[in-house]
Amino acid sequence: MTKLDILVFAAHPDDAELGCSGTIASHVARGHKVGIVDFTQGEMGTRGTPELRLQEADAAGKILQLSARENLGFKDVYFQNDEAHQLKLIEMIRKYKPEIVLANAVADRHPDHGKGSSLASTACFMSGLRKIETELDGVQQEAWRPKFVYHYIQNNYIEPDFVVDITPFWQTKIDSILAFQSQFYDPKSEEPVSFISDPDFLPFIEARAREFGHKILVKYGEGFTVERMIGMDNLFDLI
């Protein structure tokens, strides 16, 4: 079973690609093992089908060179931060034993993003409680709590607590996003126009990345918020 260095939780297929795929690509390039667990198949989305979204997620995972990608099959829009859903996330955390978890934005335009953020945070804490028992493939799992939980920033502007330089991996980010062909602008598509299929949406993604990059004097960046204060023992680790 693959132990991951970073596990990314995402309410919908394409959340991780839009929010933090540059960070994923940069850490994979450094030799870290990264995986994504999508909560839903995005079946309530305006465009595409659940089956197609799964195919697109697989294609994006190959572009990002993920070590693992799973879909929990939660009900899009209707999933909650409750015991049943928490236990499924705990199974994933204990399965992959990540040091770091990246999760949805703490608040956003789509209510599932805030719910996904809260669910991930709750499950990461609960996963460390040994009296919560879970099994995977008939084998009892050991308690595991990630060291850090960071939240990527999505549609709504949130002032980041830190920014990751993704400049060398910008094209990889774009390629991973465009793997979701059903969701974004396609002049040949006959499906209804959605919020993210508007031709101005991808330029917005670039503008946001340039804005965050500008804050740390690089071309492109991805912003994150933290749940607890970040510490360091070497000021020269900062860029």
Side-chain angles (χ1 to χ4, degrees), residues 13-206:
D14 77 18
D15 282 357
E17 283 75 12
L18 288 166
C20 63
S21 55
T23 300
I24 291 171
S26 70
H27 285 78
V28 169
R30 290 179 172 90
H32 295 292
K33 295 185 186 313
V34 184
I36 296 175
V37 171
D38 298 308
F39 296 170
T40 76
Q41 296 175 16
E43 65 270 20
M44 297 299 288
T46 302
R47 296 157 66 103
T49 65
E51 295 76 19
L52 181 55
R53 297 292 291 274
L54 290 175
Q55 293 172 16
E56 292 171 340
D58 183 65
K62 288 181 171 64
I63 291 168
L64 294 173
Q65 300 181 55
L66 299 177
S67 295
R69 187 163 201 162
E70 299 198 37
N71 191 295
L72 297 180
F74 293 168
K75 289 185 67 175
D76 193 11
V77 176
Y78 294 106
F79 75 85
Q80 297 294 326
N81 183 6
D82 59 18
E83 181 179 358
H85 293 87
Q86 291 159 3
L87 288 171
K88 293 300 295 184
L89 262 67
I90 290 169
E91 288 179 11
M92 293 296 100
I93 295 164
R94 291 176 174 179
K95 175 179 180 178
Y96 290 114
K97 294 180 167 56
E99 305 300 320
I100 295 172
V101 162
L102 305 181
N104 284 100
V106 293
D108 206 43
R109 173 182 177 271
H110 196 307
D112 277 2
H113 297 165
K115 285 192 297 181
S117 169
S118 176
L119 174 58
S121 294
T122 302
C124 284
F125 179 82
M126 293 174 65
S127 183
L129 301 177
R130 64 181 181 84
K131 291 186 178 180
I132 294 179
E133 297 183 358
T134 57
E135 289 185 0
L136 187 65
D137 299 328
V139 178
Q140 186 164 331
Q141 295 179 298
E142 297 178 351
W144 181 270
R145 182 174 294 144
K147 292 183 174 68
F148 305 101
V149 180
Y150 303 134
H151 299 268
Y152 46 92
I153 295 168
Q154 298 183 256
N155 183 75
N156 291 0
Y157 181 83
I158 300 174
E159 185 70 15
D161 293 315
F162 67 88
V163 174
V164 176
D165 178 10
I166 64 165
T167 305
F169 304 96
W170 175 250
Q171 190 58 50
T172 304
K173 178 182 177 77
I174 291 300
D175 290 345
S176 73
I177 292 171
L178 293 180
F180 293 89
Q181 295 177 345
S182 67
Q183 299 303 300
F184 299 103
Y185 179 65
D186 178 359
K188 299 178 182 178
S189 175
E190 297 181 357
E191 292 200 81
V193 176
S194 70
F195 181 76
I196 64 174
S197 72
D198 185 284
D200 288 331
F201 184 75
L202 289 179
F204 157 73
I205 295 297
E206 179 171 3

Side-chain angles (χ1 to χ4, degrees), residues 163 208-221:
V163 174
R208 172 64 59 76
R210 284 180 174 271
E211 178 181 28
F212 284 156
H214 180 72
K215 287 179 176 289
I216 59 169
L217 305 180
V218 302
K219 189 171 184 179
Y220 295 113

